[in-house]
Amino acid sequence: TGSGRQNRDEELFGHKPFAVIADYFAKKGIATLRIDDRGIGGSSQGKDDDTTANFATDISTAVDFLAAKGYLNIGLIGHSEGGMIAPIVAKMNNKVKFLVLMAAPGTKIEELLIQQNYLGGKLAGMTEKDLAEANVMNKKIYDFIKSYSGTTYEEDLKKFMTENFQGKMSKEELTQTISQTKKNWFRYFIKFNPDEYLSTIKIPVLALNGSLDFQVPAKENLEAIQQSLTKAGNKNFKTEELTGLNHLFQEAKTGAFAEYADIEQTISPKALAGMADWIAKLKK
């Protein structure tokens, strides 16, 4: 699943995309295993210092579970942060035979977040002046996190944020930013470079992205994924930008965050067919 705690259906904004994918795949003869993230549904509570790397071990265990039951043609579908997790798992577990990456990051996460914040703000109506100021602030925060080498991170983060941004952010914004960036998950996330894993992947890979995705912009990230897989010497991969789809692979008007819950469609039929048809061809 993507970032945040989600159940086995990747339930969000009133939609259950993983349930829809599983149902469509079943009708095409493709079985699926879905699990609840740590801290939700039937899974264990998890810990406050969990990171993307911890989540990868959960998925690797799920792969081993299937392999122990005799399944051989096991692949992973990762959406958003799940598209970071899938290559990590493929590198650590040779039982993974193919990957489907849905809106997966290909560029360095720091670069991705800068672009995501800019595009999201623009869609929300922010002025270029405000967007530029926010960009400078975000870059400054990310640089602090990436270069921090002390032993009292949370305390030093609060001091840094207060000294640099009090008056530039509202009290609520300052508190919210500190709450997000103090987490171990975010510290791991901001330093992550997908190329470190993608450039080692030689199994078949399908990477899809929507042209209206502002969270993981299609052009830059699909190009980066293609470059990494080419560097790996991967002979069987496909990258495709799907016109008119947003980050959740819904048919959208602008791709803005505000549309996610308002769109009735959970996931576009062309995304479903693209994944199922590609997987089916692997069996031939």
Side-chain angles (χ1 to χ4, degrees):
T1 66
S3 300
R5 291 175 175 175
Q6 290 149 41
N7 64 19
R8 66 195 68 185
D9 296 331
E10 202 194 29
E11 189 169 356
L12 68 177
F13 303 105
H15 294 283
K16 298 180 179 181
F18 279 12
V20 174
I21 291 171
D23 179 69
Y24 186 91
F25 278 17
K27 291 168 182 171
K28 299 290 185 178
I30 304 166
T32 57
L33 173 67
R34 292 170 288 135
I35 61 174
D36 300 324
D37 290 346
R38 295 181 181 208
I40 196 167
S43 292
S44 63
Q45 188 56 40
K47 300 174 291 185
D48 288 339
D49 62 351
D50 282 332
T51 67
T52 306
N54 298 124
F55 305 148
T57 65
D58 296 342
I59 304 306
S60 185
T61 300
V63 171
D64 290 340
F65 170 81
L66 289 174
K69 292 186 174 295
Y71 293 99
L72 299 174
N73 196 16
I74 302 168
L76 300 175
I77 297 183
H79 175 234
S80 197
E81 185 188 0
M84 288 167 51
I85 292 169
I88 297 175
V89 179
K91 186 176 179 179
M92 72 168 70
N93 193 329
N94 62 11
K95 300 182 189 77
V96 179
K97 303 303 181 187
F98 64 91
L99 299 177
V100 177
L101 307 179
M102 301 177 68
T107 62
K108 293 178 181 177
I109 298 302
E110 179 187 12
E111 296 172 7
L112 173 65
L113 290 185
I114 293 290
Q115 191 179 18
Q116 180 186 110
N117 291 331
Y118 174 82
L119 293 173
K122 195 170 185 177
L123 285 167
M126 287 176 65
T127 65
E128 284 296 330
K129 180 176 178 291
D130 289 341
L131 287 167
E133 288 175 358
N135 185 51
V136 171
M137 286 196 291
N138 287 329
K139 186 77 168 66
K140 199 169 185 178
I141 294 167
Y142 301 158
D143 286 344
F144 171 82
I145 297 169
K146 286 178 67 182
S147 62
Y148 183 78
S149 59
T151 56
T152 53
Y153 174 71
E154 190 172 335
E155 181 184 322
D156 292 339
L157 175 68
K158 287 178 182 176
K159 183 181 177 184
F160 166 81
M161 292 292 295
T162 303
E163 288 177 353
N164 286 275
F165 303 115
Q166 200 163 35
K168 297 179 181 177
M169 291 183 179
S170 68
K171 188 176 180 181
E172 291 76 19
E173 286 173 330
L174 196 60
T175 301
Q176 185 179 10
T177 303
I178 291 170
S179 177
Q180 180 192 29
T181 53
K182 73 180 183 182
K183 294 177 181 175
N184 232 27
W185 174 85
F186 192 84
R187 293 181 71 186
Y188 180 93
F189 191 69
I190 201 67
K191 297 174 184 177
F192 193 86
N193 183 0
D195 178 67
E196 291 180 18
Y197 295 92
L198 289 167
S199 62
T200 70
I201 302 300
K202 297 183 186 298
I203 57 176
V205 178
L206 171 66
L208 301 176
N209 208 308
S211 66
L212 296 180
D213 186 346
F214 80 89
Q215 290 185 250
V216 182
K219 182 178 182 294
E220 294 82 354
N221 287 279
L222 289 177
E223 283 181 0
I225 289 170
Q226 182 172 349
Q227 288 171 8
S228 294
L229 293 173
T230 301
K231 189 196 301 185
N234 193 309
K235 304 297 184 188
N236 187 357
F237 70 87
K238 177 183 177 182
T239 61
E240 185 175 4
E241 181 177 330
L242 300 175
T243 305
L245 304 191
N246 63 16
H247 185 62
L248 302 186
F249 290 83
Q250 300 166 306
E251 293 166 15
K253 292 179 180 177
T254 67
F257 191 83
E259 290 181 330
Y260 293 173
D262 293 337
I263 297 173
E264 185 176 347
Q265 182 186 67
T266 295
I267 183 167
S268 165
K270 62 184 173 185
L272 292 168
M275 291 188 290
D277 291 348
W278 183 83
I279 292 169
K281 287 176 185 174
L282 296 178
K283 295 166 64 178
K284 294 177 182 176

